[in-house]
Amino acid sequence: MTARRDIEAITQRIRQRSKAGREAYLGRIAEASGRSANRAVLGCGNLAHGFAVCSPSEKIALGGDRVPNLGIITSYNDMLSAHQPFETFPALIKEAAREAGGIAQVAGGVPAMCDGVTQGQPGMELSLFSRDVIAMAAAIGLSHNMFDAAVFLGVCDKIVPGLVIGALTFGHLPAVFIPAGPMTTGLANDEKAKVRQLYAEGKVGRAELLEAESKSYHGPGTCTFYGTANSNQMLMEIMGLHTPGASFVNPGTPLREALTREAAKRALAITALGNAYTPVGRMIDERSIVNGVVGLHATGGSTNHTIHLIAMAAAGGISLTWQDISDLSEAVPLLARVYPNGLADVNHFHAAGGLGFLIRELLDEGLLHEDVQTVWGEGLRPYAVEARLGDDGGVVREAAPLKSGDEKVLAPVSQAFQATGGLKVLGGNLGHAVIKTSAVKPERRVIEAPAKVFDSQQALNDAFKAGTLTGDFIAVVRFQGPKANGMPELHKLTTVLGILQDRGQRVALVTDGRMSGASGKVPAAIHVTPEAVEDGPIARIHDGDVIRLDADAGTLEVLVPGTEFALRRTADADLIGNEFGFGRELFAGFRQLVGRADHGAAAFGNA
């Protein structure tokens, strides 16, 4: 009962804090609802341009405003495994729309970059900013005012948060998110990680490493570990933006196709032209956002969402803070063990009962708001199901199993893996930071050791190769925040620090940068804010300063006398090398405008 009361109290706190912003937002979408979902407001020339390539019957229908028109925003490209399946989705959606008496048009495309391709490369410095570009690209696609609802085709790290921001900016329109699903299981993630460590130690060559990586990332669909991409899919379902049971069905299967068709028809059914009008801006409220955070904690999801959820909420006029996320972690048990929090992948999680089981468990314990609106209708209980393929080729749903298929992967609340969630916010004289605790062994969650300070991840890697990373230490990697260089993920440091930890050294990381959603076993205080380039305390740390990272107590401190520490000059770093090449010069304005990590790190003003 205490956890239920805490979740309700935190929700009420968010609601009160957001009151003015939320009212202003709802006023804007109410005004937009009165102007749109009615193509009669468009001039004849506007309409002619908008349906020039449509069939004669479609032109008549669109001109007379007699049928709903569905806008498709797609992140398709055929290089990236997660987004390649979307190639065929527009045709399926258009056919389903016709069957439902509507029309569908591809409204626009958005970029989809892969953090797996860009890890440790210059392109990673565009990654976080790509979220805001995606939101703006979605807005451009929907700005033609031709649509009564929209479907969003996206999966991976920045794509889904960007699409959510875009959808909420057009909050007067219903919005349904359609996933592509995870690739089938390949080489086990822990086996892949072992080969990476052997390669870093010079014990295997590039050929062996490439073979292992290729066996892991081997076909269409999302990577199978529980990083940001699959955390995205969980969020979309638990927040009611997917149809029930849609998240983790593999691409290229009859069920995946049936779910796509069904989602298109559902989007048409909830427009203002029907009787179930569900504008996404009213649908997603404080309760939906809290449900998303609860799901993140219960599954040990990606630390990236401590940034993205704040920006997503802000797009709907809702003020979410790191303190809210941290407090919710204390009320929510960890129910899933999916790599890097365990050995299983998302296919094993889905087979064990998946989101249907998890949602049912959380609902029964009062840890989720049941009284929400979703794209499926009223209440979250209809999501406590498994989707199956019916005899007629359509989707049927049955209640999620009462017992987990594998309690080492997916546990009931009564046998939770830990009493609290997988993420925690740290505070102290170095500012605030986020740590993912779900993959860190309890005996490694507190470390007190001298600092080794680096101004780039390459400098740390060079020190490793030189053999100078000896003894216990806390690596401080700074000038990696959003204003400095776009806040790249520093996932490659996981391998290096993991090797040292496996050798028996006690190590940790403190950085104003990000880590991949796949990172975990090394304690890492990330997203440190204020960042170094804004004269944050992290810029005053010297080599040898003792730092104490206590994930249990939620503290991050440099153990230097306060007066001495305050009088130190902040370090400078030469960032000229981060300003040009691989498109980075085009994002100078973003680096100047971007907000702090704990404010959502957005380059536009709503966060």
Side-chain angles (χ1 to χ4, degrees), residues 42-51:
L42 297 179
C44 293
N46 304 128
L47 272 172
H49 280 85
F51 59 44

Side-chain angles (χ1 to χ4, degrees), residues 296-297 300-304 306 322 325-326 329 418 421-427 432-441 444-447 507-511 515 519-528 548-556:
L296 192 70
H297 288 313
S302 171
T303 52
N304 279 318
T306 61
W322 275 4
I325 295 172
S326 187
S329 181
Q418 64 184 47
L423 302 174
K424 191 152 188 160
V425 174
L426 308 175
H432 288 89
V434 172
I435 188 168
K436 185 173 185 175
T437 60
S438 53
V440 178
K441 291 181 179 180
R444 297 192 182 278
R445 293 179 185 175
V446 180
I447 177 169
V507 297
L509 174 68
V510 173
T511 181
M515 292 291 279
S519 304
K521 74 176 187 178
V522 175
I526 61 176
H527 308 174
V528 171
R548 182 176 176 83
L549 188 165
D550 188 335
D552 294 329
T555 57
L556 179 65

Side-chain angles (χ1 to χ4, degrees), residues 375-444:
V375 299
W376 204 241
E378 294 292 332
L380 193 59
R381 185 67 63 170
Y383 283 74
V385 296
E386 288 186 331
R388 305 284 190 189
L389 192 68
D391 292 339
D392 63 353
V395 182
V396 295
R397 290 177 172 85
E398 50 193 55
L402 295 177
K403 182 176 173 57
S404 168
D406 187 344
E407 292 186 356
K408 294 180 180 178
V409 176
L410 180 59
V413 171
S414 61
Q415 296 174 250
F417 297 113
Q418 64 184 47
T420 57
L423 302 174
K424 191 152 188 160
V425 174
L426 308 175
N429 63 3
L430 290 179
H432 288 89
V434 172
I435 188 168
K436 185 173 185 175
T437 60
S438 53
V440 178
K441 291 181 179 180
E443 62 269 22
R444 297 192 182 278

Side-chain angles (χ1 to χ4, degrees), residues 234-260:
M234 177 280 300
L235 284 174
M236 293 302 93
E237 187 149 341
I238 209 166
M239 291 171 66
L241 285 161
H242 279 173
T243 57
S247 293
F248 297 125
V249 175
N250 301 125
T253 60
L255 179 55
R256 178 83 276 157
E257 181 175 316
L259 285 162
T260 299

Side-chain angles (χ1 to χ4, degrees), residues 309-328:
L309 274 165
I310 289 173
M312 290 156 61
I318 297 167
S319 176
L320 179 71
T321 69
W322 275 4
Q323 191 61 54
D324 298 327
I325 295 172
S326 187
D327 290 348
L328 285 166

Side-chain angles (χ1 to χ4, degrees), residues 81-82 114 116 156 181-183 189 216-217 221-227 229-230 346:
S81 63
C114 177
C156 285
M183 68 176 68
N189 286 293
S216 181
Y217 309 117
T222 320
C223 306
T224 59
F225 60 82
Y226 195 58
N230 286 314
V346 292

Side-chain angles (χ1 to χ4, degrees), residues 118-415:
T118 57
Q119 283 291 347
Q121 304 297 318
M124 175 53 78
E125 296 180 17
L126 308 186
S127 173
L128 180 60
F129 292 145
S130 77
R131 182 197 67 192
D132 295 2
V133 173
I134 289 160
M136 292 186 283
I140 290 169
L142 295 176
S143 68
H144 297 97
N145 199 25
M146 288 285 294
F147 309 108
D148 302 282
V151 292
F152 295 87
L153 311 183
V155 175
C156 285
D157 295 31
K158 314 308 171 296
I159 295 90
V160 166
L163 291 174
V164 171
I165 293 169
L168 289 171
T169 304
F170 283 76
H172 60 286
L173 295 177
V176 177
F177 280 63
I178 303 179
M183 68 176 68
T184 56
T185 299
L187 180 69
N189 286 293
D190 62 325
E191 291 298 318
K192 172 196 66 185
K194 288 177 185 176
V195 177
R196 285 180 176 176
Q197 288 201 2
L198 291 171
Y199 177 77
E201 293 177 287
K203 295 177 179 178
V204 300
R206 181 179 172 85
E208 290 87 351
L209 177 63
L210 182 57
E211 181 183 11
E213 299 282 4
S214 298
K215 287 179 178 178
S216 181
Y217 309 117
H218 63 90
T222 320
C223 306
T224 59
F225 60 82
Y226 195 58
T228 311
N230 286 314
S231 297
N232 281 337
Q233 304 317 300
M234 177 280 300
L235 284 174
M236 293 302 93
E237 187 149 341
I238 209 166
M239 291 171 66
L241 285 161
H242 279 173
T243 57
S247 293
F248 297 125
V249 175
N250 301 125
T253 60
L255 179 55
R256 178 83 276 157
E257 181 175 316
L259 285 162
T260 299
R261 292 175 180 273
E262 179 191 63
K265 292 180 179 180
R266 185 60 191 170
L268 291 170
I270 58 177
T271 72
L273 298 178
N275 297 318
Y277 178 42
T278 310
V280 69
R282 286 213 303 264
M283 188 192 96
I284 297 297
D285 63 9
E286 295 87 355
R287 295 166 298 180
S288 308
I289 296 294
V290 167
N291 282 352
V293 178
V294 169
L296 192 70
H297 288 313
T299 56
S302 171
T303 52
N304 279 318
H305 281 298
T306 61
I307 297 175
H308 297 322
L309 274 165
I310 289 173
M312 290 156 61
I318 297 167
S319 176
L320 179 71
T321 69
W322 275 4
Q323 191 61 54
D324 298 327
I325 295 172
S326 187
D327 290 348
L328 285 166
S329 181
E330 296 301 308
V332 179
L334 179 69
L335 303 184
R337 284 286 191 202
V338 185
Y339 189 86
N341 307 325
L343 297 180
D345 68 18
V346 292
N347 292 310
H348 302 133
F349 168 78
H350 186 63
L355 284 177
F357 178 93
L358 183 121
I359 289 170
R360 204 255 342 281
E361 285 290 307
L362 293 171
L363 283 173
D364 287 352
E365 290 295 316
L367 301 177
L368 286 171
H369 293 287
E370 187 168 353
D371 58 336
V372 292
Q373 196 171 22
T374 73
V375 299
W376 204 241
E378 294 292 332
L380 193 59
R381 185 67 63 170
Y383 283 74
V385 296
E386 288 186 331
R388 305 284 190 189
L389 192 68
D391 292 339
D392 63 353
V395 182
V396 295
R397 290 177 172 85
E398 50 193 55
L402 295 177
K403 182 176 173 57
S404 168
D406 187 344
E407 292 186 356
K408 294 180 180 178
V409 176
L410 180 59
V413 171
S414 61
Q415 296 174 250

